[in-house]
Every structure is written in structure tokens, then in C-alpha cells.
Amino acid sequence: MTDTVTTEQHQPQSAPAAAPATAAAVAAGAAPALVMRPGRWIDHWDPEDHEQWRTAGRAIARRNLRWSIFAEFLGFVVWQLWSIVAVTLPEAGFALSTGEIFWLISIPSLVGATLRIPYSFLVPRFGGRNWTIISAGLLLAPAIALAVCVGNPETPFGVLLAVAAIAGFGGGNFASSMSNITYFYPQREKGWALGLNAAGGNLGAAVAQFVVPIVITIGAGASLNLPLAGWIWVPFILVAMVGAWRRMDNLSNAKADLAGSAAALKEPHLWVLSLLYIGTFGSFIGFASVFPKLIVDQFPAFGAIEVGGTSIGLAFLGALVGSLARPYGGRLADRFGGARITMCAFAAMAAITLAVLLALPVTGFWGFLGLFLLLFAAAGAGNGSTYRMVPIVFALRASGDETPRKRKAAAALGLISAIGAYGGFLIPQALNLSFQATGGYAGAFLGFVAGYAVLLALTALVYVRPGRARAQQI
């Protein structure tokens, strides 16, 4: 095909449709050239065309991926701000019960998981570049609102809860970001690109939990400068918006696949894999959000440590380890099969959770931290292996209707990522219920052990037991 890139001169009046192929290209039997139109719309994008990908496509896709990762990273940052801010509110003079603090920690995950469903359809509607600008801009609302409301200890709990809820905008960004990058990359490179995009986003949780304890204590003396927890991210959000505006692109052939989503919802495997993803990704994001609270409750002296006069929290290590473990889980799944690695992850998670419960009275803080980091590593690896299972399972399934299996697999990835994120709400609320009923967290941890055992058995029965060769494929 020709690698000529042309530019049309007329500004489209609405969301533009693809420009028609040139008569010469059709006559020659070649694919039409890329067309760049005002508003950074690209027509005739086809990453599966090797010549287009070699000459122009790869550079365009990489540029969009870089800014997508940055915007999604900030989404995770905002999504997880309340996991650390909520724990510090009593120290800043807020009169909050333990139950109210757990609600502030968990409500962003509930809203974020719910927003992932509509967010996954908005890229085709507005364009990937346009929606990245909008979705990044929406992060200004929770960041600024947090900065304003936590500066006054008289702020009502209802207002705090509403502000924590809109932090869920950051959780929704994952779905639209992944949807956008899916359109840019060929099938042979899609897994690596999506893995980078997801890992870059997940790291936002660790960065938020590392940076916030530092910035709120710098120059604050005996008090805390909590508003900085929100203000510090505003310049970065503005950079993401400007970067997306100047450097990202819209693809006119990106189409919402409502038929694929409807077909995927009818597949029993979508719901089975969603349960597994709640157990892996849900555990990662749930424990990441509640880890600062657990440390403060169990070991108040280690909520933060002093290094060179700077207060540094250690809770960020959990999210960091889980994020870094995710791609290794995917790599192990490629070699040994996703179902087997997911089984191993659930077995490890059950054993480690039980060890946390039994060893807590004798291990002290460092033993508690070490076991929890192992739990995060297992959850992160399981996160990668379970996500890798989805397209394989759908590829092996008979379609059962006229909807192509690849379309159903793509739709299933978005739906499963949304359902799995509800674990970020369920885990903190399970701990909250245990504390309200017994004054401790042992009941919740026993429930987690039982849940992981059930999910291990489910994985074995559905995806491993049917046959060794099939298990190796999945």
C-alpha cells in the first residue's frame, strides 16, 4: 500500500466518519492511505496492514500509548487518594467513626467500578484523543474538591462521602484507556501494549500512597496540610490534558460494539471469569485501598516512618509489588497456562491470608508487612494470569451465534474489568462488617480464605479438570 499521509482542508461539523478510499487506491487494489483531518482525526487506520504499521502506524500508536498511560496513571492516583487521606482525617481533627472511614475508603471503588461500564463505550462516541482530554479533565473535580473539603474539620461526613465518590472518575478511566489502545495496536502486539497500559495505571495507586504522606507533612509542623493531597495533582492533570490535546489522535473507524457486549453477557464464562477477576484484581485494589488503614489500626507507630525528617508511609509497597507482579503473572500464564497460574495464585493467597491471621500476634509489624507483600504479589500475578485467560477462553468456545468470537472476547475484557473492580468495595466493607460485629478483622480474613479456596476449586473444575491439553491452552 502507499504510505502517503494526506490532510483534508475542511473542518468536520460533527464526529466525522471515515473518508472514502481514493479511486486510484481502489483501482490498484491497495489499501487507502492514512488521512489526517482537522481535530486530529485519522481515517483508514489498519494496524494489521504491515506496510502501514511499518511506515507510520507504529510511531502513531506508541505516541498515543505514552499519553494514555500517563492519563490512566493519574486516574489511579485520584482513585486511591482517599485510601490514605481517610486514615489521616482523625489526626487532622475530623470526628469520624471506623465505619465512616471505611466508607470513605471504599466508595471510590464502588463508583469507579460502575463507571467502567459506560466509559468503555465512550471512546468510539467521542474519539480516543477527545475522550482522554475530557476524562483527564474530570479528574480536576475530585482533586480540587478534596483539597477544599479536608481543610475544614467541620465538613459534614455526607460532603466528604460525596467528594470521595467522585474520585471514582479515576477508576472509570481504566476502561476507556484500555478500549482506546485496543484500536491502535495489531493483534500480535495488543497484549504487550495493553499490559503496559494497565501496569502504568496500576502504579498510580502506589505513587499516591507514597507521595501523599510526604507532601501533607512537609512544612506542616505538628499539624497536617491535608489540602495538598489534592492540589499537588492539579498541575499533572493539566499536563495530561494538554498532552492529549497536542499529541493523541482520534480513529474514525473505532466503533462501539454493543452487539458484542450483548453476546458476551449471555456467555456463562463471562460470569465465571468475572468471579475469578474479583478474586485477583479485586483483592489487589481492595487491599491496596485498605492497607494504610490496617497498618494504622494494627501498628500505629508504623503508620509512617521518619527518614531524614520526612514522614514516609509504607503502605505504598503493597500496591507497588502487586503492580509489578502483574506482567509476570501474564508471562507465566503464556508458558504454563493461565488457569494453572490462577489456581496457584488463589492457593498462595489463601495460605498467606491464613498466615497473616495466625502469625499476627507473634510476627510484629515487619512480619505482617512481609506477609502482606507476598499476598499482593500473588494477587498481582493472578491478576495478570486471569486477564490473559479471557481471550483464550472465548477463542476456544463455540460462538453459539453470529457474533464473531474476537468481538465477544474484546467486549468481555471490558465487562470483566468493570465487575472485578467491585472487589475494591467488597474487601473494605467486609473488614468493616467484621470490625463492627467483633471489634476485629479475623472474621473477614477467614472469609477471604474461604473465598479463595472456592475460587481455586472453581478454576480447577471449569478450566483445568476438563483436560490437560485444554488447561495448557487456557
Side-chain angles (χ1 to χ4, degrees), residues 11-90:
Q11 177 71 35
Q13 300 299 312
S14 59
T22 64
V26 173
L34 288 178
V35 176
M36 311 292 292
R37 291 189 283 118
R40 298 191 69 93
W41 285 92
I42 300 179
D43 295 335
H44 311 314
W45 180 262
D46 182 10
E48 302 297 343
D49 184 289
H50 290 275
E51 183 66 12
Q52 182 189 108
W53 182 251
R54 182 186 66 81
T55 56
R58 186 189 300 276
I60 293 172
R62 286 179 173 176
R63 170 164 44 77
N64 280 269
L65 176 61
R66 285 193 292 269
W67 284 100
S68 175
I69 289 173
F70 184 54
E72 189 197 340
F73 165 83
L74 292 172
F76 266 82
V77 165
V78 171
W79 199 23
Q80 291 301 302
L81 283 180
W82 283 90
S83 69
I84 191 70
V85 169
V87 178
T88 63
L89 289 177

Side-chain angles (χ1 to χ4, degrees), residues 286-426:
F287 282 125
S289 64
V290 84
F291 199 34
K293 171 68 172 169
L294 292 177
I295 291 177
V296 169
D297 283 356
Q298 301 297 320
F299 303 96
F302 291 90
I305 61 174
E306 294 293 327
V307 178
T310 300
S311 180
I312 298 177
L314 296 177
F316 80 95
L317 291 171
L320 177 64
V321 168
S323 299
L324 296 178
R326 176 175 179 148
Y328 290 99
R331 181 170 294 181
L332 288 170
D334 287 337
R335 181 172 181 181
F336 299 106
R340 290 173 176 171
I341 300 303
T342 298
M343 278 185 60
C344 292
F346 283 131
M349 292 165 71
I352 296 166
T353 303
L354 187 60
V356 169
L357 182 62
L358 297 177
L360 183 60
V362 296
T363 58
F365 171 74
W366 297 108
F368 170 83
L369 178 65
L371 287 171
F372 246 100
L373 293 184
L374 290 175
L375 179 59
F376 274 106
N383 182 10
S385 63
T386 304
Y387 205 71
R388 184 262 191 191
M389 288 172 64
V390 178
I392 306 300
V393 168
F394 276 81
L396 292 175
R397 288 278 294 165
S399 63
D401 55 34
E402 296 182 356
T403 305
R405 283 173 288 180
K406 285 185 178 180
R407 288 174 56 195
K408 287 200 291 186
L413 283 169
L415 293 168
I416 289 168
S417 76
I419 297 170
Y422 282 106
F425 174 77
L426 296 174

Side-chain angles (χ1 to χ4, degrees), residues 56 74 131 148 190 290 377 429:
L74 292 172
W131 181 249
V148 172
K190 204 177 296 262
V290 84
Q429 285 302 313

